[in-house]
Amino acid sequence: MTAPSFRNTVRVRFKDCDAAGIVFFPRYFEMLNDLVEDWFREALDWPFERMHGADRAGVPTADLQCRFVAPSRMGEVLTRELAVTRLGSSSCTLRVRFLGAQHDGRADLRVEFSQRLVCVDTARMAPRPFPAPVREAMARFVDEIGNEAPAAPSAASAASPSPSSNS
C-alpha cells in the first residue's frame, strides 16, 4: 500500500481455527469487522457506541469481496492494513489486507478484501453524509493509486476472443 494506512495486529486464537489448525474462513470476516470498528474509534474519532447511539447512524457493508491467498495458523500474529480507495459523501470503499510475518523482507499476504461501507441514518435506514470531521479524517487514508480505474477494453479487444476463452 502506498498511502498511509491504518494498521493493527491480531493474534490467531484457538477459537479462530478449524480442526486443521488454520483460520476458519468466516473468522476472517469477524477480524475485518473488528479492524473497521478500531479504525472508526482510533483514527476517525467516531466510535461505534456514539455512531449507533447519540448520532443514530451506522455504516453497513453494501459490497464485500475477498480473496484468500494463504492459510494462517493458530498463534500467528497478523498485521491488518486498511486504506480507502474511494471516498464519497455517504460511502467509502476500503482495501484491507491481512499479512503474516515477513520473510526475506516481504510480508506474507494471507487474505485481502474490498469493502464498501455506506453511512446511513438508522431511524430512516437511508443514506446520509458522513459527518464532516469523519470524512476529513477518512481522507488521510485515501490511496490515490488504489483510486485508478482499470482501463476500459478497446472495441477491438472486446470483439476478439482471448486465447483462454475457447474452453
Side-chain angles (χ1 to χ4, degrees):
M1 294 186 167
T2 58
S5 58
F6 178 75
R7 289 185 177 95
N8 69 17
T9 59
V10 63
R11 181 172 304 279
V12 176
R13 298 180 180 278
F14 176 78
K15 69 176 184 173
D16 300 320
C17 297
D18 61 17
I22 62 174
V23 172
F24 181 48
F25 76 94
R27 300 294 187 219
Y28 280 122
F29 296 104
E30 293 173 352
M31 293 176 195
L32 170 65
N33 195 70
D34 292 345
L35 175 67
V36 169
E37 189 170 344
D38 291 346
W39 181 54
F40 272 89
R41 171 181 297 283
E42 298 168 21
L44 307 180
D45 194 30
W46 201 25
F48 274 24
E49 61 269 17
R50 186 171 76 224
M51 175 197 301
H52 290 271
D55 294 348
R56 296 186 337 189
V59 286
T61 298
D63 185 58
L64 179 63
Q65 299 172 29
C66 71
R67 185 172 75 97
F68 301 103
V69 179
S72 299
R73 300 189 185 286
M74 189 181 336
E76 286 187 290
V77 175
L78 303 178
T79 298
R80 300 178 292 186
E81 297 181 338
L82 178 155
V84 176
T85 59
R86 188 191 146 292
L87 181 56
S89 62
S90 62
S91 70
C92 64
T93 302
L94 309 177
R95 183 180 60 240
V96 175
R97 301 185 324 158
F98 290 8
L99 307 165
Q102 290 196 4
H103 300 285
D104 300 325
R106 295 181 48 162
D108 184 18
L109 179 63
R110 304 305 176 79
V111 62
E112 58 188 352
F113 303 91
S114 174
Q115 180 179 27
R116 184 166 48 94
L117 303 175
V118 178
C119 187
V120 298
D121 174 325
T122 56
R124 297 181 303 116
M125 290 312 290
R128 58 159 278 193
F130 287 113
V134 172
R135 191 173 185 288
E136 288 168 16
M138 285 178 168
R140 295 191 319 259
F141 297 95
V142 172
D143 183 346
E144 295 300 327
I145 292 175
N147 279 334
E148 294 176 3
S154 67
S157 66
S160 58
S162 68
S164 64
S165 66
N166 295 330
S167 52

